[in-house]
Amino acid sequence: MLLKSKFKLATAIGIMLSMLSLLVHLFLANYSAGGLTKGSMHMDDVLPFGPRPRPQRLWGPLRKLDHLHPFVNPSKSYAAPSKHNGFIYAKIYGGFEKIQSSICDLVAVARLLNATLVIPEIQATTRAKGISPKFKSFSYLYDEDHFIDALSNDVAIVHGLPKDLREARKKIKFPTVSPRNSATPEYYITQVLPRLVKSKVIGVIVNGGNCLQSILPATLEEFQRLRCRVAFHALRLRPQIQALGSQIVGRLRASGRPYLAYHPGLLRDTLAFHGCAELFQDIHTELIQHRRSQMIKRGTVKEQLTVDSVSRKTAGLCPLMPEEVGLLLQALGYPPTTIIFLAGSETFGGQRMLIPLRAMFANLVDRTSLCSQKELSDLVGPEDPLALDLPQLPPPKSEKQLIEEWKRAGPRPRPLPPPPSRPFYAHEKEGWYGWIGENDTEPDASPIEFRRQAHRLLWDALDYFVSVEADAFFPGFHSDGSGWPDYSSLIMGHRLYQKPFGITYRPDRLLLRCLKMLLIIGIIHHEIGQLLHVNT
């Protein structure tokens, strides 16, 4: 009996200790979560948003930053240009982010040189044949009249050169300059201004954006303010893009829940510029290296062709992979039902790169899943059809020709003739599909590829509008104005000015890489400990 009573007592003590351990674990879990979220969640920390509440730490609103707006306005000593030195016309090559930053720089350069700026030409639209005649080069993306009116007190802007100067430009009678990346104001004053005064017209070719250094000297503070006015007030997207963007925002919020915009930053140019080729496999690495070699020839990249991509990734110079972003969003507390809008017209590697993120967050949507094909085609406008480059099959041979070939085939026994080569379809000859396996050099873009480049500008502009209006924004890559202009940094800057009360994440990729390595080491140590425990 004594043994049984001791056994019951030990059992009761064990149960009590188990319950106490469970309570301690629950308390510690609640305490640790409170440490991350600055206290346990109360109703004061939950903001009503439609039929469902939302946590304040995930969706805001944050403290307003309206006090930043006066820094965009000109100072009292700011006066209009006193003289006119000539005209500046510009050709801009590159994607949406390079176009946006280049226009801001060109307006500042025109003011610096006391010149009249001709509406810049966007080469991605001028090279595309048969796009909608409703829009000119600049008006394909932006409201041209608003751009001129908004800067009327800063720079003289005209739609085009006078007729006599236009004819002289066609005959290539005016000099052109191609400024290097982050050119200084002294370059324009000492080298460009004398040529402008002499010829009265000069052309500026901007390839890659950032034709003026990002941070100007303190003596040129007014030009820095001018660039901000161009970016946040003068460059307004054309009404059709804004209307469709507002519809997308309404559809994302139709369920009464906020949404997060995410731009992966996995662009071929970005990966090539920062040397991140080895993060991919097989043919994708070759494509990135080929683009990097082109940048080296143009002088955009001053480094070697092959670099250690792993060290670049460790240093935080490469974009975050979508699976890493998914883990970070989960660690921040976003539930699997979070609505995530995928921004950007290009994700290098295709949809397969987004499979891990889509597995974590099922509500990953983009413009194609929120808009009908008719809505997107109306945004593009009426276009001329392109002639399909279909393969020309050889004409069928007559029976007489077949007999003659048989007689000329030589003595018997004859080997079987090779099978006829299969025809190559149009989609197999466009892009990198048709050349990467056979040629070492990338061919010139086809007419359909030029048109797709123009369409990508529209999709980037549309996603830009939706991302600025988002309740939260997470960039896969951003450079904050240093080096290569990037899409996410433009959105982050615009949100800081226009929508500062929304959440905008600025992930430290170097710190996140270190934390990931520590996590991997911790998991490995845990697994080794489990194995040692099992073996002993």
PDB file of all heavy atoms in Angstrom, residues 10 14 31 63 160 168 170 217 222 229 303 453:
ATOM      1  N   ALA A  10       3.865  10.467  -6.658  1.00  0.00           N
ATOM      2  CA  ALA A  10       4.827  10.844  -7.700  1.00  0.00           C
ATOM      3  C   ALA A  10       4.117  11.203  -9.002  1.00  0.00           C
ATOM      4  O   ALA A  10       4.499  12.149  -9.711  1.00  0.00           O
ATOM      5  CB  ALA A  10       5.825   9.706  -7.924  1.00  0.00           C
ATOM      6  N   GLY A  14       4.193  14.758 -10.827  1.00  0.00           N
ATOM      7  CA  GLY A  14       4.597  14.863 -12.222  1.00  0.00           C
ATOM      8  C   GLY A  14       3.582  15.624 -13.059  1.00  0.00           C
ATOM      9  O   GLY A  14       3.948  16.441 -13.906  1.00  0.00           O
ATOM     10  N   TYR A  31       5.349  36.537 -23.619  1.00  0.00           N
ATOM     11  CA  TYR A  31       6.279  37.619 -23.275  1.00  0.00           C
ATOM     12  C   TYR A  31       7.228  37.929 -24.439  1.00  0.00           C
ATOM     13  O   TYR A  31       7.489  39.081 -24.753  1.00  0.00           O
ATOM     14  CB  TYR A  31       7.081  37.227 -22.038  1.00  0.00           C
ATOM     15  CG  TYR A  31       8.092  38.272 -21.622  1.00  0.00           C
ATOM     16  CD1 TYR A  31       7.684  39.417 -20.933  1.00  0.00           C
ATOM     17  CD2 TYR A  31       9.442  38.114 -21.921  1.00  0.00           C
ATOM     18  CE1 TYR A  31       8.604  40.379 -20.563  1.00  0.00           C
ATOM     19  CE2 TYR A  31      10.366  39.081 -21.555  1.00  0.00           C
ATOM     20  CZ  TYR A  31       9.933  40.200 -20.862  1.00  0.00           C
ATOM     21  OH  TYR A  31      10.849  41.156 -20.504  1.00  0.00           O
ATOM     22  N   ARG A  63       3.330  58.257 -38.088  1.00  0.00           N
ATOM     23  CA  ARG A  63       3.321  59.699 -37.886  1.00  0.00           C
ATOM     24  C   ARG A  63       3.455  60.402 -39.235  1.00  0.00           C
ATOM     25  O   ARG A  63       4.280  60.041 -40.067  1.00  0.00           O
ATOM     26  CB  ARG A  63       4.488  60.083 -36.974  1.00  0.00           C
ATOM     27  CG  ARG A  63       4.580  61.572 -36.684  1.00  0.00           C
ATOM     28  CD  ARG A  63       5.634  61.808 -35.604  1.00  0.00           C
ATOM     29  NE  ARG A  63       6.936  61.298 -36.020  1.00  0.00           N
ATOM     30  CZ  ARG A  63       7.818  62.017 -36.700  1.00  0.00           C
ATOM     31  NH1 ARG A  63       7.516  63.261 -37.048  1.00  0.00           N
ATOM     32  NH2 ARG A  63       8.989  61.502 -37.027  1.00  0.00           N
ATOM     33  N   GLY A 160       8.452  71.066 -78.992  1.00  0.00           N
ATOM     34  CA  GLY A 160       9.421  70.693 -80.013  1.00  0.00           C
ATOM     35  C   GLY A 160      10.237  71.895 -80.447  1.00  0.00           C
ATOM     36  O   GLY A 160       9.958  73.049 -80.087  1.00  0.00           O
ATOM     37  N   ALA A 168      17.262  71.401 -89.384  1.00  0.00           N
ATOM     38  CA  ALA A 168      18.711  71.296 -89.199  1.00  0.00           C
ATOM     39  C   ALA A 168      19.079  70.099 -88.340  1.00  0.00           C
ATOM     40  O   ALA A 168      20.125  69.467 -88.541  1.00  0.00           O
ATOM     41  CB  ALA A 168      19.240  72.588 -88.573  1.00  0.00           C
ATOM     42  N   LYS A 170      17.472  67.252 -88.297  1.00  0.00           N
ATOM     43  CA  LYS A 170      17.382  66.064 -89.150  1.00  0.00           C
ATOM     44  C   LYS A 170      18.646  65.875 -89.986  1.00  0.00           C
ATOM     45  O   LYS A 170      19.027  64.752 -90.317  1.00  0.00           O
ATOM     46  CB  LYS A 170      16.159  66.169 -90.059  1.00  0.00           C
ATOM     47  CG  LYS A 170      14.821  66.076 -89.322  1.00  0.00           C
ATOM     48  CD  LYS A 170      13.654  66.183 -90.283  1.00  0.00           C
ATOM     49  CE  LYS A 170      12.327  66.091 -89.548  1.00  0.00           C
ATOM     50  NZ  LYS A 170      11.161  66.231 -90.468  1.00  0.00           N
ATOM     51  N   PRO A 217      25.995  69.822 -54.397  1.00  0.00           N
ATOM     52  CA  PRO A 217      26.599  70.647 -53.340  1.00  0.00           C
ATOM     53  C   PRO A 217      25.572  71.557 -52.672  1.00  0.00           C
ATOM     54  O   PRO A 217      24.494  71.825 -53.214  1.00  0.00           O
ATOM     55  CB  PRO A 217      27.665  71.454 -54.095  1.00  0.00           C
ATOM     56  CG  PRO A 217      27.923  70.686 -55.342  1.00  0.00           C
ATOM     57  CD  PRO A 217      26.648  70.000 -55.695  1.00  0.00           C
ATOM     58  N   GLU A 222      18.828  74.801 -54.518  1.00  0.00           N
ATOM     59  CA  GLU A 222      17.614  75.068 -55.284  1.00  0.00           C
ATOM     60  C   GLU A 222      17.411  74.041 -56.393  1.00  0.00           C
ATOM     61  O   GLU A 222      16.279  73.708 -56.735  1.00  0.00           O
ATOM     62  CB  GLU A 222      17.682  76.474 -55.878  1.00  0.00           C
ATOM     63  CG  GLU A 222      17.607  77.582 -54.858  1.00  0.00           C
ATOM     64  CD  GLU A 222      16.307  77.549 -54.061  1.00  0.00           C
ATOM     65  OE1 GLU A 222      15.287  77.098 -54.625  1.00  0.00           O
ATOM     66  OE2 GLU A 222      16.305  77.957 -52.898  1.00  0.00           O
ATOM     67  N   ARG A 229      10.510  68.712 -57.059  1.00  0.00           N
ATOM     68  CA  ARG A 229       9.254  69.206 -57.625  1.00  0.00           C
ATOM     69  C   ARG A 229       8.909  68.468 -58.913  1.00  0.00           C
ATOM     70  O   ARG A 229       7.741  68.190 -59.190  1.00  0.00           O
ATOM     71  CB  ARG A 229       9.355  70.715 -57.894  1.00  0.00           C
ATOM     72  CG  ARG A 229       9.343  71.564 -56.652  1.00  0.00           C
ATOM     73  CD  ARG A 229       8.983  73.008 -56.978  1.00  0.00           C
ATOM     74  NE  ARG A 229       9.964  73.667 -57.819  1.00  0.00           N
ATOM     75  CZ  ARG A 229      11.087  74.228 -57.371  1.00  0.00           C
ATOM     76  NH1 ARG A 229      11.375  74.174 -56.077  1.00  0.00           N
ATOM     77  NH2 ARG A 229      11.914  74.834 -58.189  1.00  0.00           N
ATOM     78  N   GLU A 303      34.195  46.978 -63.373  1.00  0.00           N
ATOM     79  CA  GLU A 303      34.775  45.803 -62.733  1.00  0.00           C
ATOM     80  C   GLU A 303      35.014  44.708 -63.761  1.00  0.00           C
ATOM     81  O   GLU A 303      34.778  44.871 -64.962  1.00  0.00           O
ATOM     82  CB  GLU A 303      33.837  45.302 -61.627  1.00  0.00           C
ATOM     83  CG  GLU A 303      33.564  46.330 -60.551  1.00  0.00           C
ATOM     84  CD  GLU A 303      32.522  45.845 -59.565  1.00  0.00           C
ATOM     85  OE1 GLU A 303      31.649  45.047 -59.968  1.00  0.00           O
ATOM     86  OE2 GLU A 303      32.570  46.252 -58.413  1.00  0.00           O
ATOM     87  N   GLN A 453       8.817  46.113 -75.132  1.00  0.00           N
ATOM     88  CA  GLN A 453       9.533  47.046 -74.269  1.00  0.00           C
ATOM     89  C   GLN A 453       8.698  48.287 -73.999  1.00  0.00           C
ATOM     90  O   GLN A 453       8.697  48.808 -72.871  1.00  0.00           O
ATOM     91  CB  GLN A 453      10.863  47.425 -74.918  1.00  0.00           C
ATOM     92  CG  GLN A 453      11.877  46.292 -74.976  1.00  0.00           C
ATOM     93  CD  GLN A 453      13.142  46.686 -75.698  1.00  0.00           C
ATOM     94  OE1 GLN A 453      13.324  47.851 -76.084  1.00  0.00           O
ATOM     95  NE2 GLN A 453      14.039  45.729 -75.917  1.00  0.00           N
TER      96      GLN A 453
END
